[in-house]
Amino acid sequence: MQKIIVLLALVSIGFSASSQAGWNWPEDETMNAATKEKQAYYKVLMQTDKYQEAFTTINWLYKNTPNLHESIYQDGSKIIDELLELPDLSDNRKAALEDSLLWTYDMRMKYFNDKASVLDRKAYTAFKLYYRNASKYAMLRELYKELYTFSASDISDFNLTPYMTLATYYYKQKPAELSATDVLDIHGKITSVIDEKIMQGGNKEKLQKEQDKIDAFLNSLGDIISCEFIEEQLVPKFKSSPEDLNLAKKIFSYSLSAKCTDQPYFISAGEVFFQSAPSYSLAKALADKYYFAGKYDKAMHYYQQMEDLALDNEQKFDALMGQASTEVKLGNKKKARSVAYEALSVKPGASAAFNLIGNLYFLSFEECKAGESKVKDRAVYLAAYEMYQKAGNTEQMNACREQFPSIEDIFNESREEGSKITVDCWINESVTLQRRQ
């Protein structure tokens, strides 16, 4: 009975296979029949987990009908995967099976014209087999090098991090074969592919995680990137091709890793990078650099870009505080206060905003004093005190108290503690009159 069931399965599978399009069945009747029998038989063996017999049978097809159908190589890969899981494999047997596994991908590329997709799979399979085997690194590098000549859409997301993993391991174990420059080039290629995938509508969050992984691998190599390397190898090229986006990305990214952000090429490369791929984090990096370099007009431009690119209220608050701080440096106190209040509307109660306004008031004594009333002149400190109080800044509250009008000043001007007094000048606010302790 069991034999009849198997024969029925063979007939069913054989009929199904022969009716499918794309099969190159032999014209010779005897060979045609034998081929269909072997093709059906290995399928049954796979279904019954007899992988060694299936491997022997499918090898007959490889030898006699190598261009029969792509599926015989796809199934061959599955069979070999199962055989590699068998316990107590000898080293020689394991190596032979691994060679056969990669060979099935070669045959698919040879006979069935799907090179990009198959090479993508072969590279990943080879990586899983050999990423800890230094003797195979040269072979793996060639596979990935060829794969990365194809477009980003031909490279699977699962083949991003492995290429950088390979480069890292290869460099650590054989730096004479894979130089620091090679590693950086590989990192740059992967980054370009990730960027292209995002532009094509790929999952940005997922792809950014892949970018974070390859960046982490690069950073794990320590001094592979140095300011000297950037200065000597990349900057001259950038000066001759200042619109080269990929080169700008490299310089910007490597400058961050090597802590060369004080160098002028960091900002130059960052601006080119930003024009092509504006982002909140990049705008912030440029804004902060220009701010601390004293180039406040440029800083303001990028803080405003930050606001436009902000993804949440926290980011918008930081962008507005950057603008407010820049307005302070530009001498626009009233505008700085206005922007700080705008920041408070985004993040109510934020101490940083109240501190900024408090500092503006505290530093306005010389500008605002009229010399006609000591109480009125010192009211700026009362205004500053109230802002610092809202910020919870006790140290600056104490500093303000030391500058409050004395009780004598209040008495001489016929005023009363606790009454309201208007601070003139640009501040123009009403505050509660308090005396110096």
Side-chain angles (χ1 to χ4, degrees):
M1 185 67 180
Q2 182 67 32
K3 184 176 181 181
I4 294 174
I5 293 173
V6 171
L7 288 173
L8 286 172
L10 283 170
V11 171
S12 174
I13 295 171
F15 176 81
S16 174
S18 64
S19 65
Q20 292 174 10
W23 288 78
N24 299 308
W25 299 106
E27 294 182 3
D28 178 82
E29 290 186 10
T30 302
M31 179 60 74
N32 184 291
T35 300
K36 288 179 179 178
E37 179 184 341
K38 295 289 185 181
Q39 189 271 338
Y41 187 47
Y42 89 71
K43 285 282 191 181
V44 172
L45 292 171
M46 285 181 70
Q47 292 169 7
T48 54
D49 297 337
K50 295 180 179 179
Y51 294 107
Q52 182 54 61
E53 292 178 60
F55 187 51
T56 300
T57 304
I58 206 169
N59 268 291
W60 186 94
L61 295 174
Y62 294 156
K63 180 179 179 180
N64 294 281
T65 57
N67 69 333
L68 178 62
H69 194 270
E70 187 175 15
S71 64
I72 65 173
Y73 297 105
Q74 294 169 329
D75 288 338
S77 297
K78 296 174 185 176
I79 291 168
I80 297 168
D81 279 336
E82 294 292 339
L83 293 176
L84 284 169
E85 294 297 320
L86 293 175
D88 304 321
L89 281 177
S90 69
D91 290 342
N92 287 341
R93 176 62 172 158
K94 183 173 183 290
L97 286 171
E98 289 171 347
D99 287 342
S100 295
L101 179 57
L102 298 184
W103 176 85
T104 62
Y105 292 104
D106 292 336
M107 293 303 100
R108 287 172 64 185
M109 287 185 280
K110 178 178 179 179
Y111 290 111
F112 303 106
N113 300 319
D114 188 17
K115 187 168 185 178
S117 175
V118 178
L119 183 61
D120 185 55
R121 287 285 176 182
K122 180 183 178 182
Y124 186 64
T125 298
F127 172 80
K128 290 191 295 182
L129 291 174
Y130 300 131
Y131 74 96
R132 294 191 181 278
N133 185 346
S135 68
K136 299 289 187 179
Y137 286 170
M139 179 271 287
L140 289 175
R141 182 193 180 190
E142 289 305 310
L143 280 177
Y144 274 99
K145 187 176 180 180
E146 184 177 6
L147 174 62
Y148 272 70
T149 62
F150 291 94
S151 68
S153 59
D154 291 318
I155 301 170
S156 296
D157 290 355
F158 58 68
N159 259 328
L160 299 169
T161 301
Y163 193 15
M164 193 65 206
T165 307
L166 168 64
T168 304
Y169 288 5
Y170 200 170
Y171 174 75
K172 285 182 176 179
Q173 296 201 36
K174 295 186 175 184
E177 291 185 17
L178 191 77
S179 68
T181 302
D182 293 329
V183 176
L184 294 174
D185 284 344
I186 289 170
H187 179 272
K189 287 178 181 177
I190 303 171
T191 297
S192 295
V193 167
I194 290 174
D195 289 342
E196 189 175 343
K197 283 177 173 288
I198 291 173
M199 290 177 64
Q200 291 172 349
N203 187 319
K204 187 173 183 179
E205 183 178 354
K206 179 182 176 183
L207 290 166
Q208 186 55 57
K209 287 180 180 179
E210 296 298 320
Q211 183 69 57
D212 292 342
K213 290 176 186 177
I214 71 166
D215 289 346
F217 270 112
L218 188 63
N219 293 333
S220 73
L221 297 178
D223 61 357
I224 188 172
I225 304 172
S226 66
C227 298
E228 290 74 18
F229 173 86
I230 299 170
E231 188 79 43
E232 295 172 7
Q233 301 294 324
L234 303 180
V235 172
K237 296 177 183 177
F238 186 60
K239 286 181 177 178
S240 62
S241 301
E243 296 181 358
D244 188 328
L245 176 59
N246 288 330
L247 192 54
K249 289 179 182 178
K250 284 183 181 180
I251 292 173
F252 187 83
S253 175
Y254 298 163
S255 296
L256 285 172
S257 299
K259 297 180 173 59
C260 309
T261 57
D262 290 334
Q263 301 301 318
Y265 53 73
F266 174 75
I267 291 180
S268 300
E271 289 198 310
V272 173
F273 189 5
F274 186 84
Q275 289 173 10
S276 173
S279 68
Y280 176 88
S281 59
L282 185 50
K284 177 173 173 53
L286 292 169
D288 289 346
K289 278 297 166 186
Y290 277 124
Y291 179 87
F292 290 111
K295 297 181 179 180
Y296 301 119
D297 288 336
K298 282 276 194 178
M300 180 62 74
H301 169 74
Y302 284 106
Y303 283 130
Q304 289 170 343
Q305 293 294 311
M306 280 174 62
E307 183 183 0
D308 293 338
L309 294 164
L311 299 176
D312 53 39
N313 281 347
E314 190 66 38
Q315 289 186 348
K316 187 173 183 180
F317 174 79
D318 288 342
L320 289 167
M321 287 303 296
Q323 293 175 42
S325 297
T326 305
E327 294 289 4
V328 173
K329 293 294 185 180
L330 291 169
N332 303 325
K333 293 180 180 178
K334 194 171 183 178
K335 178 64 174 175
R337 179 179 62 181
S338 175
V339 178
Y341 274 122
E342 188 178 350
L344 282 166
S345 71
V346 172
K347 187 178 179 181
S351 60
F354 284 122
N355 270 319
L356 185 144
I357 299 171
N359 291 338
L360 287 172
Y361 293 169
F362 191 89
L363 298 174
S364 292
F365 177 75
E366 292 296 332
E367 175 185 349
C368 290
K369 71 177 182 180
E372 298 174 359
S373 165
K374 289 184 178 181
V375 174
K376 293 275 286 184
D377 288 347
R378 291 191 171 274
V380 294
Y381 296 112
L382 297 170
Y385 176 88
E386 292 185 0
M387 289 298 122
Y388 289 134
Q389 188 175 43
K390 291 177 180 179
N393 189 340
T394 55
E395 183 178 352
Q396 282 302 108
M397 287 168 64
N398 292 333
C400 288
R401 284 195 190 95
E402 294 176 1
Q403 302 299 326
F404 285 175
S406 67
I407 188 63
E408 290 82 5
D409 295 333
I410 296 173
F411 178 77
N412 291 338
E413 295 185 20
S414 301
R415 300 178 186 273
E416 294 182 4
E417 280 189 85
S419 63
K420 290 293 183 178
I421 182 172
T422 300
V423 185
D424 295 326
C425 195
W426 69 271
I427 298 174
N428 193 30
E429 285 190 1
S430 177
V431 297
T432 301
L433 181 56
Q434 301 183 58
R435 62 170 170 147
R436 186 165 62 241
Q437 300 297 323

